[in-house]
Amino acid sequence: MEQSLPLDHVLWDAIREGDKASLGELYERYYRLLYRYGTRLISDTDLVEDTIQDVFITIWNNRQKLAIVKNSKAYLFTILRRGIHQKSKKDEFISDIDTTPDLAYTEGKDNYEDAEYEQWLVEKLSTVLKSLPQRQMDVILLRYYENFQTSEIATIMGITEKSVRNTLYKALTHLRVHIQPLDFILFIFLVLQTLGL
């Protein structure tokens, strides 16, 4: 019989009671997600790794004063985002979406089924995403890359849910304007594929 993993809030409560193994398990559960998110905020991988370490050290050192947290993942993302922002120079705090090599679009070919076209589309979308204002980029990353809900994004970014919805609307409007209609549909398809929906 498979043993089910403890829920986040169980781990969190155990950490508050001084269980170091639970801290290790929470670290193992979220390190990769935190690293991926951090490296999208800033390209300095050493700074991201150091900040993640600091997040968990701070949690452990303050375990007796920790509040009850309903959503550990959102809490960790919030602390990481704040930590990276404080450690980096403001102008270095830039979301960085991985890009693929620039490929020319070839007319008259069934490019929508072609892997080369998909690479070209990812490059084009990446360029358009990078043109978004920082706040819009953050919302897109958290919603479509990290799959957070509106309320969780509001918590992570320290803004209201209404601001999240407005920012997301503006970002998607910007993308629609700068991406041809069929390409935008494919963009949504790629996002849904990434999220496994």
Side-chain angles (χ1 to χ4, degrees), residues 12-166:
W12 192 262
D13 289 343
I15 293 165
R16 293 174 71 223
E17 292 171 12
D19 183 7
K20 204 166 192 175
S22 293
L23 180 73
E25 191 164 339
L26 195 70
Y27 177 86
E28 289 297 321
R29 189 172 290 184
Y30 287 110
Y31 176 81
R32 273 183 266 177
L33 288 174
L34 291 168
Y35 182 81
R36 182 178 69 185
Y37 177 61
T39 54
R40 285 183 175 140
L41 293 175
I42 191 165
S43 58
D44 185 343
T45 57
D46 290 337
L47 187 144
V48 172
E49 288 173 356
D50 289 347
T51 308
I52 294 170
Q53 297 295 326
D54 289 348
V55 165
F56 286 92
I57 290 169
T58 301
I59 288 171
W60 182 250
N61 289 341
N62 295 291
R63 63 191 176 276
Q64 294 173 337
K65 297 181 255 178
L66 287 177
I68 296 170
V69 171
K70 291 181 181 176
N71 188 332
S72 302
K73 182 180 175 186
Y75 183 83
L76 293 171
F77 271 66
T78 303
I79 297 174
L80 178 66
R81 185 177 190 277
R82 192 175 301 138
I84 289 174
H85 188 64
Q86 288 170 350
K87 284 184 176 187
S88 65
K89 294 177 184 166
K90 211 166 186 180
D91 60 335
E92 291 176 358
F93 189 71
I94 299 169
S95 298
D96 188 19
I97 300 292
D98 292 332
T99 59
T100 55
D102 189 21
L103 296 170
Y105 176 70
T106 312
E107 294 287 347
K109 192 176 169 188
D110 192 7
N111 290 295
Y112 295 96
E113 296 177 1
D114 188 21
E116 197 172 277
Y117 175 75
E118 189 174 317
Q119 284 185 298
W120 173 84
L121 179 59
V122 169
E123 167 66 22
K124 180 179 177 182
L125 296 173
S126 173
T127 302
V128 174
L129 285 170
K130 284 182 178 182
S131 71
L132 289 171
Q134 182 65 49
R135 190 165 169 164
Q136 290 179 22
M137 172 64 88
D138 287 347
V139 171
I140 290 285
L141 285 175
L142 291 168
R143 179 67 191 104
Y144 294 110
Y145 286 80
E146 304 302 339
N147 203 22
F148 280 110
Q149 299 302 315
T150 303
S151 58
E152 296 169 323
I153 297 169
T155 301
I156 291 168
M157 294 184 67
I159 59 178
T160 65
E161 289 185 43
K162 184 177 180 183
S163 292
V164 172
R165 285 190 292 274
N166 289 343

Side-chain angles (χ1 to χ4, degrees), residues 168-187:
L168 186 58
Y169 175 78
K170 287 177 187 174
L172 291 175
T173 300
H174 176 88
L175 294 174
R176 275 191 204 99
V177 167
H178 291 87
I179 299 171
Q180 294 172 7
L182 188 52
D183 291 344
F184 186 73
I185 291 166
L186 286 171
F187 166 69

Side-chain angles (χ1 to χ4, degrees), residues 2-20:
E2 278 186 35
Q3 187 178 9
S4 61
L5 294 172
L7 298 172
D8 284 358
H9 71 86
V10 174
L11 290 175
W12 192 262
D13 289 343
I15 293 165
R16 293 174 71 223
E17 292 171 12
D19 183 7
K20 204 166 192 175

